[in-house]
């Protein structure tokens, strides 16, 4: 019960050598067998006593770096495997063939680095058949070529053919570029033989850079027949067919990779005191401390601006024969720069600068904590001393943030008009979060020995704990735990427990601003047709803590005939209540 109610599974304990004296350091480095992802780490620690040993100073620092892996490097195990819809699957064959295929040597059928025509309409007047232009793709410099399709083709994916050319799996980074720097200092002083005051200061910074591949548009772009960038030979075919538009997909190689950079810095000062005293015939220990943690995070992404991209690819010739954005014909001051969607290496820097933008999110997290703890053995039973621990803690959590101008403007517009937000970027579309809560907690825990070195037990202990928690957001809640630890012989330990647990919502779950995202699914109601689904995720200030009733039993084996060997197993059944709906979970450890 010593952990706060905000604690979650996966806690890691760091042991600090508060009395370390001397100097020690560590240096390490590495590289993969492919010659990439070079890494290094250097750390140095120093400790010294002062004031005739009553004071102690500890300093430590660390620098670490990973180069990351751009793309997949030279790894030949990358086999272009894809999961895609089985084209043979339908209402008649659904019991005889699989719905999805997982095939190697697969790539995209509806997008290439420089664009591919995925569909064109029929025209009875000219005798043009449907999809007469399908498979025309645009290579370096915009050269039109005929795509070699593989088989089978399911949705956006095909196996075989020019699968390597039509795949962006190699564009995403296999491992991000990472950097980390940490500094920690601690000073303590023994005011008396039984009271020590201390102060700590830590600073940390972590950075990352990763590419997620290129912007993929899978055949969902409509190109009008008067687009000024259509290569001459294709434009002639379009005119001969008498069609007014066609569909195009592209991996937008000219736009470059979608990259995300992040930086997080954290400062944590701590002041406190600890000591011991005698009472009730035994020694008691205590500690009090206060801390403030401030974490600044910055996240930015290189993305296309959706409105600019749509305007720039819809380019025509004006009355003077110059290529301009269609929107410029009616709005000469639009600032739009034409973008050539046909081919690779065909766009100017001015066009790229107009289409691309940088979305960013700045977030500040603040945590203030004051706490006090007391531990001791107030009395003994026939089997040994009873251990008691008690404490109280008050925490305040706060989050605030800001975003780039386009994201901020889209949010302001949606609020002013009472409409859904229109995401300004191809992805990302960050929104700031703001909010705070505070919580006050108190706990009491005891270990009561019931048997020691008797005929039926080497030891038998009961441990009991209770915690009272009051949240500013969701009110008061009580949690508790009761357990038994029984050692019938030195080789075997049996543990059993019963508890009422909670997990309180964190800052993101409470206050995260509404975030829009898209994903692609295969709609079974439309013969598994590829469908884009829009999702909206946001925090909920009405969330209450999740409650769980947990039952656990465990076994630890430490056979004396195998010195140093230990094995343990644990089974936990947890019934979890979320909004008064209970579900059961069985966990084997």
């Amino acid at each position: 019960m010593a952990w706060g109610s905000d604690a979650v599974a996966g806690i890691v304990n760091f042991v600090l050598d508060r009395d370390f004296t001397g100097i020690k350091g560590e240096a390490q480095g590495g590289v993969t067998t492919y010659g990439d992802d070079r890494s290094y780490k250097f750390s140095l620690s120093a400790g010294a006593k002062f004031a005739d040993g009553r004071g102690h100073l500890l300093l430590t620092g660390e620098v670490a770096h990973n180069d990351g892996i751009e793309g997949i490097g030279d790894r030949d195990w990358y086999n272009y495997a894809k999961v895609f819809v089985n084209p043979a699957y339908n209402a008649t064959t659904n019991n005889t063939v699989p719905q999805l295929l997982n095939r190697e040597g697969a790539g995209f059928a509806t997008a290439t680095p420089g664009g591919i025509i995925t569909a064109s309409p029929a025209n009875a007047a000219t005798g043009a058949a449907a999809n007469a232009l399908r498979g025309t793709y645009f290579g370096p410099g915009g050269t039109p070529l005929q795509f070699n399709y593989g088989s089978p083709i399911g949705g956006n994916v095909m196996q075989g053919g020019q699968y390597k050319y039509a795949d962006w799996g190699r564009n995403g980074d296999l491992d991000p570029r990472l950097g980390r720097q940490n500094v920690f200092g601690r000073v303590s002083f023994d005011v008396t033989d039984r009271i020590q005051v201390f102060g700590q200061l830590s600073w940390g910074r972590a950075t990352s850079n990763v590419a997620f591949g290129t912007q993929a548009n899978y055949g969902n772009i409509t190109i009008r027949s008067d687009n000024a960038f259509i290569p001459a030979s294709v434009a002639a075919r379009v005119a001969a067919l008498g069609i007014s538009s066609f569909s195009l997909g592209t991996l937008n190689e000219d736009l470059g990779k979608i990259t995300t950079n992040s930086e997080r810095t954290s400062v944590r000062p701590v002041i406190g005191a600890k000591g011991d005293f005698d009472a009730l015939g035994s020694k008691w220990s205590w500690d009090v401390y206060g801390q403030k943690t401030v974490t600044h995070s910055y996240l930015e992404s290189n993305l296309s601006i959706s409105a600019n991209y749509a305007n720039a690819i819809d380019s025509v010739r004006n009355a003077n024969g110059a290529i301009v954005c269609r929107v410029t014909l009616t709005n000469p001051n639009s600032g739009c720069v034409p973008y050539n969607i046909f081919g690779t290496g065909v766009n100017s820097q001015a066009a790229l600068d107009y289409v691309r933008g940088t979305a960013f999110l700045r977030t500040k997290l603040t945590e203030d904590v004051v706490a006090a703890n007391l531990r001791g053995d107030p009395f003994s039973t026939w089997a040994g001393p009873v251990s008691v621990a008690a404490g109280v803690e008050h925490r305040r959590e706060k989050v605030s943030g800001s975003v780039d101008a386009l994201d901020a403007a889209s949010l302001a517009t949606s609020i002013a008009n009472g409409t859904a937000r229109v995401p300004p970027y191809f992805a990302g579309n960050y929104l700031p979060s703001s909010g705070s809560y505070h919580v006050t907690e108190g706990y009491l825990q005891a270990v009561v020995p019931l048997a020691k070195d008797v005929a039926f037990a080497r030891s038998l202990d009961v441990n009991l704990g209770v915690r009272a928690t009051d949240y500013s957001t969701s009110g008061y809640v009580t949690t508790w735990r009761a357990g038994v630890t029984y050692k019938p012989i030195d080789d075997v330990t049996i543990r059993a427990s019963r508890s009422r647990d909670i997990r309180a919502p964190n800052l993101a779950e409470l206050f995260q601003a509404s975030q829009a995202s898209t994903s692609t699914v295969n709609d079974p109601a439309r013969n598994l047709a590829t469908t884009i689904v829009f999702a909206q995720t946001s925090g909920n200030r009405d969330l209450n803590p999740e409650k769980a009733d947990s039952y656990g039993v465990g076994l630890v084996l430490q056979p004396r005939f195998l010195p140093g060997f230990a094995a343990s197993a644990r089974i936990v059944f947890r019934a979890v209540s979320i909004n008064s709906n209970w579900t059961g979970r069985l966990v084997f450890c």
Side-chain angles (χ1 to χ4, degrees), residues 172-385:
D173 291 348
L174 185 62
D175 195 34
R177 183 182 180 92
L178 301 173
R180 186 177 72 251
Q181 304 88 40
N182 299 302
V183 178
F184 174 83
R186 185 179 193 273
V187 61
S188 61
F189 189 81
D190 296 333
V191 179
T192 70
D193 291 341
R194 310 195 76 168
I195 299 177
Q196 181 187 91
V197 294
F198 63 89
Q200 296 178 183
L201 180 64
S202 58
W203 174 88
R205 177 176 178 265
T207 59
S208 70
N209 174 273
V210 63
F212 295 98
T214 55
Q215 174 179 322
N217 295 92
Y218 298 116
N220 62 345
I221 298 174
T222 298
I223 302 295
R224 300 190 196 185
S225 59
D226 60 348
N227 190 294
F229 286 119
I230 300 176
S233 60
V234 177
R237 292 186 62 195
V238 169
L241 292 171
I243 58 178
S244 59
S245 66
F246 55 82
S247 298
L248 181 135
T250 178
L251 297 178
N252 290 288
E253 185 174 291
D254 271 17
L255 285 180
K257 297 178 181 179
I258 297 174
T259 58
T260 296
N261 301 310
S262 69
E263 178 177 338
R264 181 183 293 259
T265 59
S266 183
V267 178
R268 178 178 176 263
V270 181
I271 57 172
K274 65 177 185 175
D276 59 72
F277 61 91
D278 295 323
L280 302 176
S282 64
K283 179 182 287 189
W284 293 73
S285 62
W286 58 271
D287 65 79
V288 296
Y289 72 91
Q291 74 173 50
K292 185 179 185 71
T293 304
V294 180
T295 301
H296 293 272
S297 63
Y298 178 77
L299 182 68
E300 69 171 24
S301 298
N302 169 42
L303 301 158
S304 70
I305 303 170
S306 299
N308 289 10
Y309 180 81
N311 287 334
I313 65 175
D314 187 17
S315 299
V316 295
R317 293 188 181 274
N318 63 14
N320 299 321
I323 298 178
V324 297
C325 303
R326 190 185 303 272
V327 69
T328 305
L329 299 179
T330 55
N331 182 11
N333 299 318
S334 67
C336 182
V337 179
Y339 180 89
N340 187 353
I341 201 172
F342 301 97
T344 59
V346 293
N347 281 287
S348 66
Q349 189 61 48
L352 297 177
D353 291 342
Y354 174 73
V355 170
R356 294 186 303 202
T358 300
F360 70 76
L361 171 64
R362 290 190 177 97
T363 303
K364 179 181 179 181
L365 298 170
T366 305
E367 181 187 62
D368 300 307
V369 181
V370 291
N373 299 283
L374 177 67
R375 296 166 292 274
D377 303 327
F379 60 90
S380 297
T381 68
W382 55 90

Side-chain angles (χ1 to χ4, degrees), residues 85-152:
V85 176
N86 184 354
Y89 182 89
N90 53 49
T92 302
T93 64
N94 59 12
N95 293 322
T96 59
V97 300
Q99 179 178 355
L100 300 175
L101 300 175
N102 184 8
R103 298 286 180 85
E104 297 181 2
F108 292 108
T110 56
T112 62
I116 181 172
I117 297 177
T118 58
S120 58
N123 187 329
T126 62
N131 296 324
L133 295 177
R134 179 176 180 267
T136 302
Y137 76 98
F138 306 93
T143 302
L145 301 163
Q146 184 60 40
F147 191 66
N148 178 22
Y149 285 100
S151 179

